[in-house]
Amino acid sequence: MMAEAVGLVNTLQNWTVLDKVILSTKAPDRRTIFGKGNFKILTERIKGKPQITAVFVNVERLSPASERELEEAWGVKVLDRYSVVLHIFRCNARTKEAKLQISLAEIPLLRSRLKDEVAKLDQQGGGSRYIMGSGETFMEVQQRLLKERELKIRSALEKLRKKRQLLRSQRKSREFPVVSVMGYTNCGKTTLIKALTGDVKLQPRDQLFATLDVTVHGGQLPSRMTVLYVDTIGFLSQLPHQLIDSFSATLEDVAHSDLIVHVRDISHPETLNQKVNVLNVLKNLQIPECLMNSIVEVHNKIDLVDNYEQSEPDAVPVSALKEQGLEELKQRIEAAIVKSTGKHILTVKVELSSAQLSWLYKEATVQEVDVVADEGTALVKVIISNAAYGRYRKLFQTN
């Protein structure tokens, strides 16, 4: 957890960890989360280093009162896990959808701070006063403005969600299988997709939450079947649930995919805990059981492990960076796709003088063509969906 907290800070440009300490805490929603002894140790340590400009307390959420009390005692900005992760998201957001989702995630933070501000005003006798001519108190006005902002953001996200549904239906109509690539943040998902697709535009970055927007990349499997790889947001242990809720529109794509590839950084000391965390998040997202049961697990970064030995027989060991193990992975993905999409591997006889062969190249995945010259025919091995095969039979009236 300490390494992960340091990793979060180092992800941010011009942020540097000057000191770190592990101390026990009380419940984060308590006004004082440290006991007297620990609080004294911390205060002396912070005051003794004037170069410190902020303190990251690695709990999910600090209450506004607790945050204010610590800031007053230490004279520097105090951050919790929610605000640090949110700041990383804000720095990495590129698209309109990601920015809207971050704005939505900020609403709970603004609400809790508003309550704290009003509580302070009440102590001074001003929070419950009515704003002249409006018939509303300061608190009511601010709450109404926040509610209006939230509804506006949700409405904009709903429009984008419908656009995403349209894109999904277009992909389905073209019958391209969709593979969602999931994993803990910085496990190498983008690097793996780049290795599988050869997409030179993909530029992986060695940092947490480098990918916030869902991106889709076409690739080919050994049979020449085209698949679409979906690069998704990474997960994190104790990722505040409200942040996950805000990104639920983005993660919706996962539930509609044909296969999930779970990438693990096998060189990480906490790789097993990371696996559990990712699977728990997927369950909470209500991913269909058939998708959960067909997950292809990838052990990435085997090049960073001395004498790597495969401990889980169903996992596929790879090094995305060194492009090791990719052929085996593609074969596993292909087998799983054929099974999950209900595609068939068939050998059909075609007349070379007809449009059958060109139709099959366009609408199915042609694996082999054996020409029988004497007959003017060919035996064609294809991977084809039920729907496409039905159209083929209707068009060419085969038995």
Side-chain angles (χ1 to χ4, degrees), residues 27-259:
D29 55 351
R30 293 270 293 273
R31 188 180 177 88
T32 53
I33 67 162
F34 298 105
K36 282 184 182 177
N38 282 343
F39 182 69
K40 189 183 176 189
I41 290 167
L42 269 177
T43 304
E44 286 171 358
R45 205 151 165 169
I46 293 161
K47 297 278 189 186
K49 292 190 176 178
Q51 64 270 48
I52 290 174
T53 56
V55 175
F56 173 23
V57 181
N58 191 25
V59 295
E60 186 175 319
R61 288 283 295 274
L62 285 168
S63 69
S66 183
E67 185 183 321
R68 189 177 71 248
E69 192 170 278
L70 293 175
E71 285 181 348
E72 286 171 359
W74 297 337
V76 293
K77 180 73 182 159
V78 174
L79 305 157
D80 55 23
R81 200 173 177 85
Y82 193 94
S83 53
V84 169
V85 173
L86 194 60
H87 189 58
I88 295 169
F89 280 14
R90 208 180 288 118
C91 292
N92 287 349
R94 298 286 178 269
T95 64
K96 183 182 177 183
E97 187 173 24
K99 287 170 184 174
L100 280 169
Q101 289 175 133
I102 289 158
S103 297
L104 186 62
E106 284 174 332
I107 299 285
L109 211 57
L110 294 170
R111 277 208 179 98
S112 64
R113 284 178 181 165
L114 173 63
K115 283 179 188 171
D116 188 49
E117 287 298 316
V118 170
K120 277 202 292 183
L121 282 170
D122 278 343
Q123 287 170 5
Q124 297 158 19
S128 302
R129 288 181 189 164
Y130 289 93
I131 302 217
M132 195 177 292
S134 72
E136 290 178 298
T137 64
F138 171 78
M139 174 75 163
E140 286 166 345
V141 169
Q142 295 300 313
Q143 281 183 325
R144 177 171 54 77
L145 290 171
L146 272 177
K147 187 67 184 169
E148 285 170 5
R149 177 173 167 77
E150 183 181 357
L151 289 171
K152 197 174 174 182
I153 293 167
R154 287 192 185 277
S155 172
L157 278 170
E158 183 60 24
K159 284 177 188 170
L160 287 169
R161 194 176 68 83
K162 284 177 180 171
K163 186 181 174 185
R164 195 182 279 284
Q165 278 179 330
L166 180 64
L167 288 170
R168 271 202 303 266
S169 65
Q170 286 171 348
R171 291 202 294 258
K172 285 284 181 192
S173 68
R174 296 192 69 182
E175 295 184 342
F176 288 139
V178 177
V179 180
S180 286
V181 182
M182 316 289 297
Y184 208 78
T185 186
N186 209 27
C187 67
K189 297 182 297 297
T190 306
T191 306
L192 181 63
I193 292 173
K194 185 177 183 178
L196 289 169
T197 62
D199 189 340
V200 292
K201 294 193 293 293
L202 275 171
Q203 294 300 324
R205 287 176 286 160
D206 182 17
Q207 63 180 67
L208 304 179
F209 301 113
T211 303
L212 278 188
D213 304 295
V214 167
T215 54
V216 181
H217 311 270
Q220 280 204 328
L221 296 175
S223 65
R224 295 190 289 278
M225 186 198 303
T226 299
V227 292
L228 300 176
Y229 292 102
V230 178
D231 195 2
T232 58
I233 182 174
F235 296 122
L236 184 75
S237 69
Q238 295 180 306
L239 184 63
H241 71 276
Q242 282 164 322
L243 280 176
I244 294 171
D245 290 346
S246 300
F247 279 79
S248 61
T250 299
L251 292 165
E252 225 176 59
D253 279 332
V254 180
H256 294 277
S257 55
D258 298 298
L259 181 69

